[in-house]
Amino acid sequence: MEPPAQEPTPQVSLDTAVTLSFDYLKQLGTIAMTAAAGLIALVQFVDGDRKFFLKIMIAASGMFLSALLAFFVQFSLMDRIRHGHDLLRRKEKLGYTDQGAKRLETWFESAALWILSISMGIALQALFSAGAPG
C-alpha cells in the first residue's frame, strides 16, 4: 500500500506570488490600453474606408474591455489580500467568499486574455486588408 500523496511545497512565498500576479495583470492592462490608443491614433492619420474604421473601433473597444477586466481582477485580488491582513483589513464584512472571488477572478482573467487576443486579430486583419491592393 502506497503512502498518501503529500501536497507539494510552494516554490515561492505568498508575497512573491501576489506581486507576480498583480504585475502580470498590470502588464495585461497596459498592453491592452497601449494597443487601443495606438489604433485610435492610427485611424486619425489614415484615410480608410468605413469598414476599416469600424474594425479598428471594434478592436480598440475590445482592448479597452480587456484592460477593464484586468483592472477588476487586480481590485479583487487586492481586496482579498487586504481582508486577510490584520493591519490592512477594513471593518466591513465581506459579502463574498474567497472561493467565489477566486472563481470570478479566473473567469475575468480568462475573458481579458481572450478578448485581447480576438481584438488584436481583428486589428491585424483590418490593417492587412487596408494595405492589400484593391
Side-chain angles (χ1 to χ4, degrees):
M1 182 173 220
E2 291 183 23
Q6 295 179 357
E7 289 189 29
T9 57
Q11 299 295 322
V12 295
S13 69
L14 180 60
D15 290 342
T16 303
V18 169
T19 302
L20 290 172
S21 296
F22 189 83
D23 285 345
Y24 162 73
L25 293 164
K26 186 169 53 172
Q27 293 293 332
L28 177 65
T30 301
I31 288 169
M33 290 303 290
T34 304
L39 289 175
I40 291 171
L42 177 70
V43 166
Q44 294 176 3
F45 297 109
V46 174
D47 290 331
D49 60 354
R50 185 167 168 79
K51 277 184 164 181
F52 176 77
F53 177 78
L54 288 175
K55 287 178 185 176
I56 293 298
M57 286 298 113
I58 289 170
S61 298
M63 290 174 188
F64 176 73
L65 179 60
S66 176
L68 190 62
L69 288 172
F71 173 75
F72 287 152
V73 176
Q74 284 177 320
F75 177 78
S76 179
L77 176 66
M78 288 300 103
D79 194 44
R80 284 191 305 113
I81 297 302
R82 278 190 197 118
H83 189 71
H85 195 280
D86 290 335
L87 182 63
L88 300 175
R89 184 177 301 132
R90 292 178 280 175
K91 301 299 181 210
E92 69 264 7
K93 184 179 177 184
L94 275 181
Y96 54 86
T97 64
D98 272 347
Q99 289 302 325
K102 286 179 188 178
R103 189 172 31 249
L104 190 63
E105 287 170 15
T106 301
W107 192 90
F108 275 11
E109 181 182 339
S110 299
L113 281 171
W114 275 103
I115 292 170
L116 179 61
S117 300
I118 291 168
S119 298
M120 291 243 183
I122 292 170
L124 286 174
Q125 193 277 335
L127 292 171
F128 288 142
S129 65

